Amino acid sequence: MSTARTPTIRDVAARAGVSKSLVSLVLRGDPGVSEARRTAVSRAIDELGYRTNRVAQALGTRRSNAVGVLLNDLRNPWFVDLLTGLTATLETVGLSTVLVDSATTRRVGGSPVDKLLQQQVDGIVVVGTTEDDEELRRAATLVPIVLAGTYEPAGLGSDVVVNDDVDGATAATEHCIELGHTSVTHLRGPGHVGELREQGYRGAMSRAGLTPVVVPGGMSEESGYAAARRALAATDRPTAVVAYNDLAAIGALSAAHDLDLRVPEDVSIVGYDNTYLATIRHLSLTSVDNGTMAIGLQAARWLSERIDGGVRTGRVHRVPASLVVRRTTSAPPRS
Amino acid sequence: MSTARTPTIRDVAARAGVSKSLVSLVLRGDPGVSEARRTAVSRAIDELGYRTNRVAQALGTRRSNAVGVLLNDLRNPWFVDLLTGLTATLETVGLSTVLVDSATTRRVGGSPVDKLLQQQVDGIVVVGTTEDDEELRRAATLVPIVLAGTYEPAGLGSDVVVNDDVDGATAATEHCIELGHTSVTHLRGPGHVGELREQGYRGAMSRAGLTPVVVPGGMSEESGYAAARRALAATDRPTAVVAYNDLAAIGALSAAHDLDLRVPEDVSIVGYDNTYLATIRHLSLTSVDNGTMAIGLQAARWLSERIDGGVRTGRVHRVPASLVVRRTTSAPPRS
DNA sequence: CTGTTAGCGCTTTCAT
DNA sequence: ATGAAAGCGCTAACAG
């Protein structure tokens, strides 16, 4: 397609009548360059429409200025929301992001983490619970890793940026209890995050003298649907459901619908993550806001810090969680 | 972080007792390499944990084996659905994808297209209507471009992969008409795609002898909400709404809800794109399936074809559209 | 079949 | 303040 060869730093140098190195200095905004040369070079750059070749740059500096973002399922809106804060912050410090949907990549063969390393990413942020623990372990010896919204893989000395899952789940559960619910079921999710949320739920229940009921589920809508369907079909069905995340909660919403249970009149449902799905007025899901933006921002900060600093200790940043009450929760039906 | 220097092809060569080039040949699976050498090299590779440096490779071959994917808003589930088919297909031919959310990138300064070119992508696929026409024009002289789900920018000789928008919108509209609706409003979206869908709507309306009513909207939930709110608040409000896409339709759903109109009893709503949002049982949106997967697949095929072939003519692939009836449409209320 | 020799476009000492 | 030269890790002719 190219009309001519695309101009290189060498062409610019020739045109400006200077050396390659000088151009490089100007490009990098080095202060010790005479004004005359600087403008000459800048002119040449404009005239030729020069664009720096990041690939060559990366090879030379052994710095790609790219970070890998590993996530599980782009269809989970929480990931997408987080991505916004994450990439925006990374961009501002000159880092671009290489997104890898680990499920998709793995399916067509090839380890997602390996792919990132081959591309010489300067660091990796793992978003949410993924299934690449083994490879991440190895990767951690090569590049800094920060975990966003997950604790796994643990023990790598990576930084961890999460919300207060115990707190959030507690708030969700207590909200139901305060509304008068005594039969509240929890749809548990995967990973340590799943455990913490379960823990929050259990704590709230036992403090209220209620019996916890936990149903294992997943992080997708389907799994939420399946789990909720089972729970709600029972004769002693709960009057409230605290789900692992919004997706699962929406699955629960569907399950309720299919069983002819009205929400919130017959059954209350609480999600987690406060994604835009929850805000869709037509769903209007009560959900726990886990500070998605703040998480993305902090993860980006810490990663870039590690990339050009030498931070070695694993830090944990815990963003507060807060409940957002919408229209899927209310007092239980009087039986 | 690195324990030692990460091994290069040179280290492998030394360890296997051969030359760099021989290793390169083995890596590339060249048939003309003696079995003995091949195994020796493979062993060395394993032992050292060698990983090819794609950056160096790209510089040498002037082929990054990466394609840029330009899109507008990751929160639009259609993009995400399309991405699945697209990246999966690209991976199978050895191309990785560099995702760029053009809105985000632009916000933090810097042209998304330029960024891609600097990274030496071998091609670009534009997903949906974006706002980078000018830059894409320039980029088109450098790398092949294929448009997926959009016609813009036009006249670049790019391939275009779309669904049959006129047909789809016609089907959506006729569905309403057949249900008995006589007052059907269309929420128009942006770009040529928006025009085509409007055209399909208008055609169906006039063939049925009905008066078309078109309200300008956007492609987001908010804009759909705003547009629908206006339309449905009128005294002569429509009994059916054909939206530009699912997101807008969901906005319309919310608007109806806010106005105490039941869906579908008081007002029917049809979306477009048949995203997973439409399939959420609790929304259960009647929507036009535009063959998202097929579009992604074809776009990937054509792009890779252009990258290593020399196809020059702009081709158009039009995937058939089909209506999926769910629970947001029914006969109009008898007035 | 295998090794040698140049680069790819940029950065980076090190002189000047 | 500026230039020359030596790489970064890989591929690509070209010899042998």
Side-chain angles (χ1 to χ4, degrees), chain A residues 13-236:
Chain A
R15 176 144 197 151
V18 301
S19 73
K20 271 188 354 173
S21 344
L22 211 267
V23 177
S24 182
L25 289 180
V26 172
L27 248 18
R28 224 118 28 73
D30 190 293
V33 176
S34 70
E35 205 42 42
R37 305 289 202 175
R38 182 187 304 290
T39 53
V41 170
S42 305
R43 254 240 322 283
I45 287 179
D46 289 351
E47 290 170 356
L48 292 170
Y50 169 80
R51 218 183 326 256
T52 121
N53 181 332
R54 297 260 173 242
V55 169
Q57 189 176 56
L59 186 59
T61 56
R62 264 143 317 222
R63 264 272 240 146
S64 63
N65 285 314
V67 317
V69 177
L70 196 68
L71 49 71
N72 218 307
D73 180 10
L74 262 185
R75 276 183 317 201
N76 186 327
W78 184 72
F79 295 163
V80 175
D81 286 349
L82 186 131
L83 229 48
T84 310
L86 186 74
T87 58
T89 311
L90 287 172
E91 296 269 2
T92 63
V93 298
L95 292 168
S96 32
T97 55
V98 181
L99 203 63
V100 181
D101 177 336
S102 85
T104 307
T105 307
R106 193 194 313 286
R107 188 146 13 87
V108 297
S111 136
V113 177
D114 245 53
K115 249 196 68 173
L116 289 175
L117 292 176
Q118 291 190 167
Q119 297 184 53
Q120 310 298 116
V121 293
D122 296 333
I124 295 179
V125 14
V126 180
V127 181
T129 310
T130 68
E131 295 165 0
D132 304 282
D133 289 23
E134 234 356 280
E135 296 163 0
L136 283 171
R137 296 211 117 70
R138 284 184 286 121
T141 66
L142 301 170
V143 295
I145 293 185
V146 3
L147 310 177
T150 178
Y151 292 85
E152 288 98 18
L156 300 182
S158 328
D159 292 325
V160 175
V161 184
V162 286
N163 83 115
D164 194 326
D165 289 297
V166 176
D167 227 51
T170 303
T173 311
E174 284 179 346
H175 168 61
C176 295
I177 295 171
E178 277 160 18
L179 286 171
H181 292 271
T182 54
S183 172
V184 183
T185 291
H186 175 54
L187 307 184
R188 184 180 63 213
H192 187 52
V193 169
E195 285 170 23
L196 291 178
R197 292 185 187 174
E198 174 177 357
Q199 198 176 309
Y201 159 80
R202 284 188 185 277
M205 290 297 277
S206 54
R207 271 193 301 284
L210 299 174
T211 320
V213 180
V214 175
V215 183
M219 46 196 287
S220 67
E221 196 215 340
E222 297 81 46
S223 60
Y225 176 79
R229 174 110 205 183
R230 239 175 296 122
L232 294 174
T235 48
D236 56 340

Side-chain angles (χ1 to χ4, degrees), chain B residues 8-9 20 24 50 57:
Chain B
T8 79
I9 196 178
K20 272 189 350 174
S24 181
Y50 169 80
Q57 189 177 56

Side-chain angles (χ1 to χ4, degrees), chain B residues 68-72 78-79 82-83 85-86 90 124-130 136 145-153 158-163 165 193 197 219 244 273 290-303 315 317 319:
Chain B
V69 177
L70 195 69
L71 48 71
N72 219 305
W78 185 72
F79 295 164
L82 185 132
L83 229 50
L86 186 74
L90 286 172
I124 295 179
V125 14
V126 180
V127 181
T129 310
T130 68
L136 283 171
I145 293 184
V146 2
L147 309 176
T150 178
Y151 293 85
E152 287 99 14
S158 327
D159 292 325
V160 174
V161 184
V162 286
N163 83 115
D165 289 297
V193 168
R197 292 186 187 172
M219 45 196 288
Y244 169 70
D273 288 348
N290 53 8
T292 316
M293 282 292 175
I295 292 179
L297 196 137
Q298 184 61 36
R301 274 209 197 117
W302 273 358
L303 187 61
R315 295 166 291 185
H317 183 82
V319 172

